[in-house]
Amino acid sequence: MIIYSENFAGILNQITAVFTRRQVNIESLNVCASSTPGVHKYTITCNCSEEMVQTLCKQIEKKIDVLQANYFTDEEIFIMEACLLKVSTEGLLQNPAASKAVRHRGARIVEVNPTFSIIEKKGLTDDIISLFSELNALGIVRQFVRSGRIAVTRDCIEHLDRYLEKRTQQNS
């Protein structure tokens, strides 16, 4: 789901409460300023039926400070995540399969010291999980963190821009 709201305190709580009431778990959540001044963009990933996500969107749009809520399938948007892995430097250097996995998965090493190394990977969820699984199976992973999804639609124009344009015309 991609949701746009005005930037007011408490709106995130109102949005997540809709999920809680419907007993739908949020898999990932990313909130940031959008390209429209004063508007924030929420990218929420959840696993539920199309009927349930339609209900969630309708309920969220009823919130006063929410401008728009839309849902998309993975095919309708560009998706990216990022992760950081802290691995044992000794394990990374002594195991050729580890450095091969890093190169093969398009990750990069951003920090190396005698105790640990930090690996960064950007991409799709499956690619990130595959890298983690491969390195974890080698027993060198000390910490793993993954961001929420960030996404943009494949449409040429932002859905919010259309909405704001219509709203401006109606108010004129």
Side-chain angles (χ1 to χ4, degrees), residues 151-169:
V152 293
T153 63
R154 292 184 182 267
D155 291 342
C156 294
I157 187 166
E158 187 69 74
H159 286 259
L160 179 66
D161 294 340
R162 289 183 191 142
Y163 167 79
L164 292 175
E165 193 175 291
K166 285 179 187 176
R167 192 170 89 170
T168 302
Q169 290 172 355

Side-chain angles (χ1 to χ4, degrees), residues 23-172:
Q23 297 183 340
V24 174
N25 189 41
I26 294 175
E27 298 295 325
S28 74
L29 170 67
N30 181 287
V31 182
C32 63
S34 74
S35 57
T36 305
V39 175
H40 272 60
K41 180 178 183 175
Y42 302 74
T43 305
I44 300 175
T45 306
C46 62
N47 293 317
C48 61
S49 68
E50 186 171 353
E51 181 181 319
M52 177 57 77
V53 77
Q54 288 172 350
T55 301
L56 290 168
C57 281
K58 288 175 186 172
Q59 291 296 310
I60 290 168
E61 280 191 333
K62 288 181 181 178
K63 304 298 174 192
I64 293 171
D65 299 324
V66 171
L67 299 171
Q68 190 175 51
N70 296 295
Y71 70 94
F72 301 92
T73 63
D74 287 354
E75 294 77 32
E76 297 173 309
I77 55 178
F78 290 103
I79 304 165
M80 184 175 285
E81 287 186 23
C83 81
L84 293 174
L85 294 118
K86 181 191 277 187
V87 299
S88 158
T89 297
E90 182 180 344
L92 183 64
L93 295 175
Q94 291 181 356
N95 194 333
S99 58
K100 182 181 177 185
V102 171
R103 286 191 311 277
H104 176 73
R105 300 279 181 204
R108 63 187 199 115
I109 299 171
V110 294
E111 167 84 26
V112 177
N113 68 46
T115 309
F116 63 85
S117 297
I118 305 293
I119 299 169
E120 169 195 66
K121 169 75 177 131
K122 298 175 194 166
L124 299 175
T125 307
D126 292 344
D127 297 334
I128 287 171
I129 297 301
S130 293
L131 175 64
F132 167 73
S133 297
E134 209 168 326
L135 295 176
N136 198 43
L138 298 172
I140 65 170
V141 176
R142 301 295 174 248
Q143 291 182 33
F144 171 70
V145 65
R146 193 174 98 202
S147 73
R149 280 185 172 183
I150 56 172
V152 293
T153 63
R154 292 184 182 267
D155 291 342
C156 294
I157 187 166
E158 187 69 74
H159 286 259
L160 179 66
D161 294 340
R162 289 183 191 142
Y163 167 79
L164 292 175
E165 193 175 291
K166 285 179 187 176
R167 192 170 89 170
T168 302
Q169 290 172 355
Q170 290 172 349
N171 292 340
S172 300

